[in-house]
Amino acid sequence: MAQDDKPPEGPDFAAGIPSADLVDGAILSGRVGDEAVILVRHGGTVSAVGAKCTHYQGPLAEGLVVGDTLRCPWHHACFDLRSGEALAAPALSPIPCWQVEEKDGRITVGARKKQPEPKKTGSPSEHFIIVGGGAAGFAAAEMLRRRGFAGAITMLSSDDVAPVDRPNLSKDFLAGSAPEDWVPLRPEDWYAKNKITLKLKTDVTALDTAARKLTLGDGSTLAFDKLLLATGAEPAHLPIPGADLPHVHVLRSFDDSRAIIANAKDAKRAVVIGASFIGLEAAASLRARDVEVHVVAPEKRPLERVFGPELGDFVRKLHEEHGVVFHLEDGVTAIARNHVTLKSGSTLPADLVVVGVGVRPRLTLAEKAGLSIDRGVSVDEHLQTSAPGIYAAGDIARWPDPLTGERIRVEHWVVAERQGQTAALNMLGQPTPHRAVPFFWSQHYDVPINYVGHAETWDALDIDGDVMKRDCVVRYRLGGRLLAVASIYRDGDSLKAAADMEHQVARSAPQTG
Ligand SMILES: Cc1cc2nc3c(=O)[nH]c(=O)nc-3n(C[C@H](O)[C@H](O)[C@H](O)COP(=O)(O)OP(=O)(O)OC[C@H]3O[C@@H](n4cnc5c(N)ncnc54)[C@H](O)[C@@H]3O)c2cc1C
Ligand code: FES
């Protein structure tokens, strides 16, 4: 994903450029010393900021300017052009900013600005607890500290490692193109430096909403002032003989990914059960490791339910071009040490099996606590549950989608992170409705598919471009209304679709934030 580290090209902004070279809304690439910098004119202001996104180094010069923000073309991170702050995930760190002077028809870039220290907020005696060390939990903790929360933060996670970049576990890391040190979201010492007490291998077993206290697996209790539940989801297991054999894997945690890699070192043939995003990404990564891969799934076309038939056929063809063999409209009825048995009666040799048959939100804690549940933890637009001061975010949360008015729950990395960020602001007493338009991406070999909005169903699908040529925008509508847009190598269109939907949300929603 990372771009080559070539020396920056283009004009030297420190020497200045003619003002006329930068029209409103335009982005100009250049450099200041050895650093790649872009100049952006937005409204009446010119900003000079770093040229690379702090998520995976996406090229911000190809991004979209929306008001005083800049959106990354790859996974839609949103940066404040005035301060560089990463306002919306998946980027969490700011981009650098430089002083700019516009005088006598020239724009000149000066010294690099210092990141401002956050103003302290909240009381030092307050204690916020976050249950979950995943996307939403981490983003919430990071935002609380970024915005100067003065109190104590405890993050409780049943994982055995600090928060990781989960999407990487089925993509670059599993394929062998990203080293282990890319996977943690922050180095281990970040938590202590930011005064976040991170307790790993810690199960929260009970929540008493009235006494405002949690019970942990070892029987101890912890009191909180405000709480965020971000317990995520767990992989569904298959109730078939052999599902617990050592060469059968699910894929959710860092350890799961490492176990598949260890198994793949001497595996010749893998069977992936389920043509889900995770199953197919795992298939692509195993092909990168030269393992023969067979995918077995009940549907007619992979990912058809999410993307429709055309993109489903494309995904299938793409995998077939890389040697994956599909066994669709079929299932696995039993797994043995060296093979799996299919519903259709045949057997497939397999010395590695990956089960990617979906996930279930981890709701037990919220259910037992008596929180309102509706196929997820019900939250309001501020992500508050039915208990005041207790919030929920990420894969477990069902929230009112301002675009459609429906209550939705989705399992996307960026949504979970953005909800964690929104929950943090609400916990700080800054009322912030969650109005972000859902976004996800999925990567198969060198082909990324981006998706904005949310369409559980649609009655019209139109395609602009050519799906098979990997150059398309697919729009999903219901009753004439645009619900979602999927795209391949049309980052500009994808960004624009997200900005349009955001605009629609802003126009229709009451201003409570
Ligand atoms: C391999 C893989 C690849 C993915 N790729 C993509 C992608 O490309 N794009 C995309 O949009 N999405 C992707 N996803 C989905 C995305 O990772 C999830 O939507 C996201 O992680 C959800 O974040 P979360 O914080 O809700 O839950 P999680 O990240 O799952 O975190 C939940 C946390 O809660 C902890 N926990 C649960 N119960 C308890 C308890 N009782 N006590 C203490 N701790 C508890 C868990 O240990 C974990 O730390 C992928 C998922 C996987 C597994
Ligand atoms: S590289 Fe910019 S959002 Fe991912």
Side-chain angles (χ1 to χ4, degrees):
M1 278 280 191
Q3 290 177 302
D4 294 341
D5 266 339
K6 285 187 266 174
E9 292 171 356
D12 178 0
F13 292 145
I17 60 156
S19 289
D21 287 2
L22 191 66
V23 297
D24 196 29
I27 306 176
L28 205 62
S29 297
R31 64 199 161 84
V32 174
D34 288 340
E35 295 194 78
V37 172
I38 53 175
L39 272 186
V40 184
R41 193 189 288 279
H42 49 111
T45 310
V46 177
S47 295
V49 297
K52 288 181 184 174
C53 176
T54 53
H55 178 229
Y56 287 169
Q57 309 287 294
L60 292 177
E62 292 165 30
L64 183 72
V65 179
V66 181
D68 291 328
T69 69
L70 176 61
R71 314 296 170 92
C72 176
W74 284 0
H75 317 109
H76 293 203
C78 169
F79 296 96
D80 186 329
L81 279 165
R82 292 156 308 184
S83 65
E85 182 180 0
L87 294 173
L92 298 165
S93 301
I95 45 175
C97 295
W98 282 261
Q99 310 278 1
V100 180
E101 188 181 54
E102 185 165 24
K103 214 168 91 183
D104 303 330
R106 284 189 77 74
I107 299 169
T108 311
V109 174
R112 194 167 159 155
K113 290 187 202 166
K114 271 204 177 129
Q115 282 298 322
E117 281 291 316
K119 269 201 231 121
K120 287 284 172 214
T121 172
S123 152
S125 63
E126 276 184 299
H127 185 199
F128 289 180
I129 299 187
I130 295 167
V131 185
F138 178 82
E142 195 275 340
M143 185 56 89
L144 285 171
R145 282 293 178 246
R146 196 200 298 181
R147 292 294 168 94
F149 176 54
I153 303 174
T154 303
M155 189 189 277
L156 306 167
S157 169
S158 52
D159 290 350
D160 48 12
V161 290
V164 293
D165 183 359
R166 221 178 277 293
N168 221 317
L169 301 179
S170 53
K171 303 179 183 69
D172 294 333
F173 178 64
L174 188 60
S177 48
E180 288 233 344
D181 59 8
W182 275 30
V183 177
L185 288 176
R186 286 289 184 272
E188 264 172 39
D189 62 356
W190 182 87
Y191 298 89
K193 276 189 192 153
N194 285 278
K195 297 195 173 59
I196 294 167
T197 307
L198 173 64
K199 292 186 183 222
L200 298 172
K201 299 184 199 161
T202 302
D203 259 320
V204 179
T205 53
L207 157 63
D208 184 333
T209 57
R212 304 190 85 68
K213 144 185 119 166
L214 294 170
T215 305
L216 311 189
D218 62 5
S220 61
T221 59
L222 269 180
F224 59 85
D225 294 297
K226 287 186 185 157
L227 177 71
L228 173 64
L229 294 176
T231 49
E234 59 199 344
H237 290 261
L238 278 179
I240 57 171
D244 52 357
L245 284 167
H247 68 303
V248 181
H249 305 268
V250 291
L251 179 47
R252 184 82 190 176
S253 67
F254 201 0
D255 258 5
D256 293 337
S257 189
R258 283 198 276 228
I260 296 172
I261 292 168
N263 199 158
K265 288 207 168 105
D266 43 35
K268 291 205 163 44
R269 290 184 202 90
V271 166
V272 173
I273 307 177
S276 60
F277 285 108
I278 289 175
L280 291 175
E281 289 183 354
S285 296
L286 289 170
R287 289 300 301 132
R289 290 180 178 272
D290 265 339
V291 178
E292 189 182 312
V293 179
H294 290 248
V295 174
V296 183
E299 53 265 47
K300 232 184 190 164
R301 288 187 179 90
L303 305 180
E304 182 176 9
R305 195 181 54 77
V306 183
F307 286 146
E310 293 82 1
L311 271 178
D313 284 341
F314 166 74
V315 168
R316 175 179 181 159
K317 185 165 166 278
L318 176 64
H319 281 271
E320 285 175 343
E321 282 167 5
H322 285 82
V324 172
V325 181
F326 284 91
H327 304 263
L328 297 170
E329 297 182 87
D330 208 339
V332 172
T333 54
I335 305 170
R337 185 61 201 92
N338 296 312
H339 67 272
V340 304
T341 305
L342 303 190
K343 221 165 154 185
S344 53
S346 54
T347 59
L348 293 175
D351 35 24
L352 166 59
V353 177
V354 178
V355 179
V357 294
V359 296
R360 275 192 215 103
R362 294 175 77 169
L363 301 176
T364 316
L365 185 62
E367 268 168 350
K368 280 199 324 194
L371 296 178
S372 172
I373 302 283
D374 166 23
R375 295 161 296 143
V377 180
S378 293
V379 293
D380 63 16
E381 64 168 351
H382 295 98
L383 305 179
Q384 188 167 243
T385 67
S386 52
I390 299 179
Y391 297 81
D395 284 2
I396 59 167
R398 185 172 292 276
W399 83 99
D401 173 21
L403 200 60
T404 57
E406 310 273 313
R407 298 185 62 80
I408 62 170
R409 187 182 73 75
V410 300
E411 291 154 2
H412 305 337
W413 179 255
V414 173
V415 173
E417 288 187 313
R418 290 182 182 175
Q419 288 191 344
Q421 295 177 322
T422 304
L425 298 178
N426 286 302
M427 290 165 86
L428 288 173
Q430 300 166 12
T432 309
H434 182 70
R435 294 204 180 128
V437 171
F439 169 83
F440 77 83
W441 83 98
S442 182
Q443 176 94 21
H444 304 257
Y445 311 94
D446 57 340
V447 182
I449 306 177
N450 283 2
Y451 184 101
V452 294
H454 180 72
E456 275 173 27
T457 175
W458 58 86
D459 56 21
L461 176 158
D462 63 75
I463 298 171
D464 171 9
D466 189 329
V467 175
M468 288 299 169
K469 286 190 176 148
R470 308 170 182 197
D471 171 28
C472 64
V473 177
V474 182
R475 296 187 177 83
Y476 306 84
R477 297 176 206 273
L478 185 64
R481 184 168 183 190
L482 181 67
L483 294 182
V485 176
S487 60
I488 300 177
Y489 290 126
R490 290 277 198 98
D491 292 340
D493 291 316
S494 176
L495 281 171
K496 186 128 188 349
D500 288 346
M501 288 182 193
E502 233 177 70
H503 195 61
Q504 208 180 314
V505 167
R507 271 192 325 224
S508 62
Q511 297 301 306
T512 53

